[in-house]
């Protein structure tokens, strides 16, 4: 009787946890995302063509010491994004099993000389400037790449505050990623006053500050914008859509996912009036069947790609709904 009781109890636990990832599985998924999207070079891994890495070399990293080869292979097979797209993929090549992230790859440079913990001179200089940022006037500094590296470094170190941005938002910038950074309306005013040449801007997860009035000013004052990520800016409405339709003449890529306050009519207006638009992400918008047909017709005529849940037309829907996400806010 005791054995039967234990068996039943164990069976109930399996049923209750069916479909749920264990804490160890969650850690594995997060570690793979870090290494295969951002940290491969920084961690000393060799990158093969297509941003693949050797699975055996990956497993030698200290942060992977608690995970087996089979666990990583299984995670690569089953891990999906919230959009249902595969996060990772594997392939065999020259006797090696290679693995990579399917999207959002943006590798950080190795800050150290190969095989050592000695920082490169350029890295040490950038860190010194970041640490003493208030002592530098960068307004006429001509190298966008170095400014962008400083912004990304301070962002990773959680030091990219308003004081730092006042020093770093300069005219040379054409690419700016503020996703996940705490900003204020004064920060955004600095963006359009000091960075009038911006072509790529990511404001993902900045919904706490993004309003229709700010959006109107943004698109008026930044006429060169080609790529704009407004994902999760949930307070924007049709008024912002109207501003995009009227002023964003050079816009090629637009992400409006996780925004339910912009109507399908306004989305159609954006597609119609933004003549350069080639990619639109409206994945989780509620779109009626009639509007879906109109959107599909416009996209086919304009040769646009549309990310929309349930859209399966191969001519206009990307095979991987996350495949173009790295374009938004990508610096280099």
């Amino acid at each position: 009787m005791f054995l039967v009781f234990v068996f039943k109890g164990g069976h109930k636990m399996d049923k209750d946890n069916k479909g749920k990832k264990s804490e160890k599985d969650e850690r594995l998924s997060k570690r793979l995302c870090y290494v295969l999207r951002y940290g491969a070079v920084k961690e000393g891994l060799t990158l093969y063509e297509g941003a693949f890495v050797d699975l055996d070399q990956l497993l030698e990293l200290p942060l992977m010491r608690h995970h087996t080869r089979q666990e990583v292979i299984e995670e690569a097979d089953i891990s999906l994004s919230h959009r249902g797209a595969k996060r990772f993929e594997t392939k065999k090549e020259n006797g090696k099993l290679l693995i990579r992230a399917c999207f959002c790859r943006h590798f950080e440079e190795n800050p150290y000389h190969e095989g050592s913990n000695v920082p490169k001179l350029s890295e040490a200089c950038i860190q010194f400037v970041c640490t003493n940022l208030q002592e530098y006037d960068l307004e006429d500094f001509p190298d966008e790449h170095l400014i962008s590296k400083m912004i990304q470094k301070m962002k990773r170190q959680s030091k990219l505050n308003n004081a730092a941005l006042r020093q770093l938002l300069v005219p040379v910038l054409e690419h700016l990623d503020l996703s996940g950074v705490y900003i204020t309306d004064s920060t955004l005013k600095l963006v359009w006053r000091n960075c009038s040449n911006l072509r790529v801007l990511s404001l993902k997860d900045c919904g706490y500050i993004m309003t229709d009035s700010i959006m109107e000013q943004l698109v008026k004052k930044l006429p060169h914008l080609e790529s704009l990520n407004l994902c999760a800016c949930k307070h924007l409405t049709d008024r912002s859509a109207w501003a995009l339709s009227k002023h964003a003449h050079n816009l090629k890529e637009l992400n409006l996912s996780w925004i339910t306050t912009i109507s399908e009519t306004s989305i159609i207006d954006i597609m119609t009036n933004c003549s350069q638009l080639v990619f639109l992400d409206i994945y989780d918008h509620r779109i009626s069947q009639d509007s879906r047909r109109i959107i599909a017709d416009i996209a086919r005529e304009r040769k646009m790609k549309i990310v929309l849940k349930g859209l399966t037309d191969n001519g206009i829907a990307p095979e991987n709904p996350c495949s173009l996400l790295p374009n938004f806010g990508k610096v280099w």
Side-chain angles (χ1 to χ4, degrees), residues 72-117:
V72 173
I73 292 172
E74 290 176 358
E75 182 65 21
D77 286 340
I78 66 173
S79 185
L80 301 175
S81 73
H82 77 282
R83 298 183 173 196
K86 278 181 65 66
R87 284 196 175 101
F88 315 109
E89 62 181 331
T90 59
K91 72 172 182 177
K92 290 184 178 179
E93 189 174 278
N94 298 325
K96 296 179 179 179
L97 185 60
L98 305 180
I99 184 171
R100 74 171 179 179
C102 295
F103 52 88
C104 288
R105 296 188 299 268
H106 182 50
F107 295 112
E108 301 173 8
E109 295 179 12
N110 188 344
Y112 304 107
H113 290 286
E114 189 172 352
S116 76
N117 290 322

Side-chain angles (χ1 to χ4, degrees), residues 116-270:
S116 76
N117 290 322
V118 179
K120 296 176 182 177
L121 179 59
S122 59
E123 185 69 21
C125 291
I126 289 173
Q127 183 59 61
F128 182 85
V129 174
C130 288
T131 302
N132 302 279
L133 195 57
Q134 299 305 316
E135 299 180 18
Y136 291 88
D137 182 357
L138 301 171
E139 184 176 358
D140 296 320
F141 190 72
D143 194 328
E144 185 199 8
H145 181 58
L146 287 179
I147 295 287
S148 295
K149 286 186 71 172
M150 283 188 267
I151 289 174
Q152 293 304 310
K153 177 179 282 292
M154 297 192 75
K155 182 179 177 181
R156 290 193 301 271
Q157 296 173 347
S158 299
K159 295 180 179 179
L160 192 60
N161 52 30
N162 275 347
L165 286 167
R166 277 193 288 273
Q167 301 295 110
L168 292 167
L169 294 178
V170 293
V172 73
L173 282 175
E174 294 185 3
H175 309 73
L176 180 61
D177 181 3
L178 294 176
S179 59
V181 177
Y182 179 75
I183 57 177
T184 65
D185 55 351
S186 61
T187 311
L188 290 171
K189 289 176 183 176
L190 282 172
V191 170
W192 66 63
R193 286 175 183 167
N194 297 357
C195 309
S196 59
N197 297 312
L198 273 184
R199 294 188 296 109
V200 177
L201 175 62
S202 177
L203 295 169
K204 180 178 181 290
D205 296 324
C206 294
Y208 57 89
I209 190 65
M210 287 301 297
T211 63
D212 287 329
S213 57
I214 288 178
M215 189 66 208
E216 286 176 334
Q217 291 298 313
L218 199 70
V219 292
K220 285 180 182 177
K221 302 293 177 63
L222 299 176
H224 305 297
L225 275 182
E226 296 176 7
S227 180
L228 179 61
N229 186 355
L230 298 171
C231 176
C233 292
K234 298 182 179 181
H235 299 301
L236 302 182
T237 70
D238 287 353
R239 182 177 159 190
S240 289
W242 179 84
L244 285 164
S245 296
K246 184 176 181 181
H247 300 290
H249 302 300
N250 294 303
L251 198 63
K252 296 178 180 178
E253 301 171 340
L254 178 63
N255 189 335
L256 296 176
S257 59
W258 293 13
I259 303 175
T260 59
T261 46
I262 294 180
S263 69
E264 55 191 39
T265 302
S266 291
I267 289 170
I268 292 170
D269 287 342
I270 290 173

